[in-house]
Amino acid sequence: MHRESMVRALRERLSAQIPWDIAVIGGGATGMGVAVDAAARGLSVALVEAHDFGKGTSSRSTKLVHGGVRYLEQGNIPLVMSALKERGLMRQNAPHLVHDLAFVVPNYSWWEAPFYGVGLKLYDLLAGKYGFGASKLLSKQETLHRLPALDPEGLIGGVVYYDGQFDDARLLIHLAMTAADHGAVLLNYCPATGLMRDPDGYVNGVMVRDQETGEALEIPARIVVNATGVFTDSIRQMADPGAEPMMVTSQGIHLVFDRSFLKADTALMVPKTSDGRVLFVIPWHGHAVAGTTDTPVDTPCLEPKPLEEEIEFVLETAGQYLTRPPSRKDVLAVFVGLRPLVKGEGKTSALSRDHVIHVDTSGLLTITGGKWTTYRHMAEDCVDHAITLGRLPDMGCVTKNLHIHGYVEDSAKLGHLQVYGADAAAILQLAQEPMLAAQLNSALPYIAAEVVWAAREEMARTVEDVLAHHTRALFLNAQAAIAMAEPVAHLLAVELERDDAWIAAQIKEFRALAEQYCVS
């Protein structure tokens, strides 16, 4: 997947004056899912993203592939059933990136075990053949065996259940590669600047600007899909300045700690926090991640910042359950994600995570809402609508059994390179060169060959791309990522043919950004 060849393919089609079947605005989970689905059906697809793929919401999730125990409590059985089925399909199609994870709900009151036990049995039943494992009640000893870092004071027992875990940004990159494998043209750093219209005022393409060259391009298409998440309304208002906003946004933060705070391969799930949400402490890439919060946000931005009260809430809530309560100085990184929620009544935490498909009078097709777990189903629904709306060839969806790029059944033996799946062999080949085998920082496992691979094969263009999305350094240990900025910039400069001034600017920009991921 090479950016230069993508630009070339775009220009060639433009010069031939052949419209695409579908043009997608937005390179997050939803947009990339649409690109994979449409391209796999044999439709021609062009996708543009204003930044790196996964810069926004899609790299900042709680890293769970789940049916949503919370939605069970809300009584949204259809969403839970759909998500549980999709959870199974994600593991089936991308086993190198999605795996099952045991969660323990500790019980400190006599009524909790039967209450949560019954709810989780229903969760198992709804999963049916897509189940990841049967839930069961645990004694106090069994609970502490699974979660040795749990506070034993007052503990009665627990319930164990199974859900899924994944690396969100890595899955997104592999979805991009899957779409490219099926002929889609994808361009990062290529924001949409306007919409094209036919003589009747119907949207029939998107105007974009290639940020690397400054070149303005027009991408004609039978259907334009708006898949921009929290920025949905800004694209809709390009089509109709008077469009009534349909989105509300909330943010959730996650704190990352050393693995010793959890001491296990099992996750902790607190089903009822003081703000009415659930709180997870999960093992992820050799660290412990605690979150999340739900704070309404007035205006969405690319780099949301954690609020002091959110940091204190996560520290305090996690501290109530762990033998070693974490403090601010223990936080290795904080990352913040925004949720694209469709307007409704009540608190943002109560809004449905169902997706919505909306067609404006201009013919712009918008898909929004939803969550990572249901990305494939959302894409199928969206492409079905696009086929009808654009009178495209009516071909059935094939993604239920479509292997994601890098598919390999047993990737555990690859160590930290397992997130590359089948591509790990090529990275190991690069690492035959001693300089590229070097670890970038002793606190994290990443090696120089991964930087070269990200630039050559995954369209990484900046130090941030490499350290935030292609590896997860910034999300795991912000100080280590800051230390890695200089060697990464030098490696990228060779690959992208950049000069010393670019290297200096990249290091400065990344360090300023990374400071926001530190808790002082």
Side-chain angles (χ1 to χ4, degrees):
M1 192 169 71
H2 308 274
R3 195 176 189 280
E4 293 73 15
S5 61
M6 293 292 182
V7 174
R8 199 159 50 245
L10 196 67
R11 287 195 188 119
E12 282 169 8
R13 192 164 181 122
L14 292 180
S15 61
Q17 297 186 313
I18 306 170
W20 268 269
D21 291 326
I22 297 178
V24 182
I25 307 172
T30 306
M32 211 57 85
V34 170
V36 168
D37 185 296
R41 294 193 204 204
L43 298 170
S44 59
V45 181
L47 177 146
V48 292
E49 162 58 45
H51 306 278
D52 189 27
F53 304 129
K55 159 73 175 172
T57 301
S58 298
S59 63
R60 301 159 185 264
S61 73
T62 310
K63 320 307 178 197
L64 300 181
V65 179
H66 62 132
V69 174
R70 190 160 59 89
Y71 312 123
L72 196 61
E73 189 186 7
Q74 292 170 1
N76 193 340
I77 301 297
L79 176 63
V80 176
M81 289 183 74
S82 171
L84 287 169
K85 177 184 175 184
E86 293 301 323
R87 180 190 73 170
L89 293 176
M90 280 177 78
R91 184 178 65 171
Q92 168 193 297
N93 295 328
H96 58 302
L97 286 162
V98 181
H99 60 88
D100 52 336
L101 180 65
F103 291 73
V104 165
V105 183
N107 304 147
Y108 289 89
S109 302
W110 65 267
W111 57 269
E112 287 180 321
F115 179 78
Y116 294 121
V118 167
L120 291 166
K121 275 282 173 256
L122 175 59
Y123 197 61
D124 293 349
L125 283 172
L126 293 175
K129 67 177 183 179
Y130 296 102
F132 277 21
S135 61
K136 65 174 187 174
L137 298 178
L138 303 174
S139 67
K140 178 177 179 177
Q141 286 71 28
E142 288 171 322
T143 303
L144 290 171
H145 176 71
R146 284 180 174 269
L147 273 183
L150 198 61
D151 184 1
E153 187 72 32
L155 181 70
I156 293 169
V159 184
V160 63
Y161 74 98
Y162 295 86
D163 242 328
Q165 184 179 46
F166 76 139
D167 185 318
D168 47 9
R170 286 301 321 167
L171 179 58
L172 186 79
I173 289 161
H174 281 221
L175 286 174
M177 296 170 95
T178 307
D181 292 343
H182 285 83
V185 170
L186 317 160
L187 260 191
N188 55 2
Y189 294 98
C190 192
T193 55
L195 296 168
M196 299 160 61
R197 295 173 188 274
D198 68 14
D200 298 324
Y202 196 79
V203 169
N204 68 346
V206 57
M207 294 178 278
V208 302
R209 187 183 73 257
D210 183 346
Q211 283 189 330
E212 296 215 346
T213 62
E215 182 182 9
L217 297 163
E218 292 188 347
I219 302 173
R222 296 182 190 281
I223 285 291
V224 176
V225 173
N226 171 20
T228 51
V230 295
F231 301 105
T232 289
D233 287 329
S234 63
I235 300 296
R236 288 180 60 239
Q237 283 156 4
M238 274 184 189
D240 174 9
E244 195 66 32
M246 60 188 285
M247 303 302 297
V248 291
T249 306
S250 78
Q251 77 173 31
I253 78 156
H254 299 83
L255 302 181
V256 182
F257 307 102
D258 182 82
R259 183 65 166 271
S260 60
F261 282 90
L262 197 56
K263 294 185 194 164
D265 291 324
T266 300
L268 164 66
M269 195 271 250
V270 178
K272 209 55 160 194
T273 64
S274 58
D275 78 341
R277 286 186 62 80
V278 298
L279 183 99
F280 295 100
V281 185
I282 61 172
W284 190 62
H285 289 326
H287 293 70
V289 178
T292 181
T293 55
D294 195 294
T295 310
V297 172
D298 290 334
T299 310
C301 66
L302 266 177
E303 280 295 339
K305 295 180 176 59
L307 303 176
E308 277 303 311
E309 55 264 38
E310 290 181 299
I311 294 170
E312 290 304 322
F313 168 78
V314 174
L315 285 172
E316 184 186 337
T317 308
Q320 289 169 12
Y321 290 86
L322 300 174
T323 49
R324 182 176 153 214
S327 68
R328 295 177 74 89
K329 67 177 180 10
D330 298 312
V331 180
L332 298 175
V334 54
F335 63 90
V336 188
L338 297 181
R339 298 179 190 90
L341 300 166
V342 181
K343 278 190 173 178
E345 300 298 321
K347 292 198 312 182
T348 50
S349 60
L351 291 181
S352 171
R353 298 307 296 274
D354 284 321
H355 69 273
V356 168
I357 290 179
H358 178 86
V359 183
D360 284 285
T361 53
S362 65
L364 177 69
L365 179 60
T366 291
I367 178 162
T368 193
K371 56 184 190 147
W372 243 121
T373 307
T374 55
Y375 88 90
R376 192 213 62 81
H377 174 60
M378 290 168 66
E380 179 180 355
D381 196 7
C382 181
V383 176
D384 285 346
H385 276 76
I387 285 171
T388 303
L389 206 59
R391 299 189 181 94
L392 299 170
D394 193 358
M395 293 175 279
C397 173
V398 298
T399 56
K400 281 193 179 78
N401 297 301
L402 182 72
H403 288 173
I404 302 303
H405 181 96
Y407 175 95
V408 61
E409 284 180 22
D410 181 19
S411 58
K413 60 183 182 292
L414 297 170
H416 87 278
L417 293 179
Q418 77 177 93
V419 294
Y420 297 94
D423 288 341
I427 295 168
L428 289 169
Q429 190 61 41
L430 284 172
Q432 296 291 308
E433 191 181 321
M435 198 180 85
L436 295 184
Q439 201 170 333
L440 295 164
N441 185 278
S442 59
L444 295 167
Y446 305 119
I447 61 174
E450 292 174 79
V451 182
V452 172
W453 177 260
R456 287 184 191 173
E457 304 295 337
E458 297 179 349
M459 291 170 67
R461 312 305 283 176
T462 70
V463 169
E464 180 195 342
D465 295 351
V466 170
L467 292 177
H469 319 130
H470 297 259
T471 72
R472 307 316 306 274
L474 180 59
F475 284 63
L476 293 170
N477 188 324
Q479 289 297 342
I482 289 170
M484 291 158 73
E486 189 168 342
V488 168
H490 281 279
L491 286 160
L492 276 180
V494 173
E495 290 301 315
L496 303 178
E497 299 179 349
R498 304 290 195 252
D499 60 16
D500 288 349
W502 182 88
I503 292 172
Q506 279 289 304
I507 294 168
K508 184 179 177 185
E509 282 172 31
F510 179 76
R511 286 177 176 167
L513 171 74
E515 288 298 335
Q516 296 177 34
Y517 289 70
C518 300
V519 172
S520 53

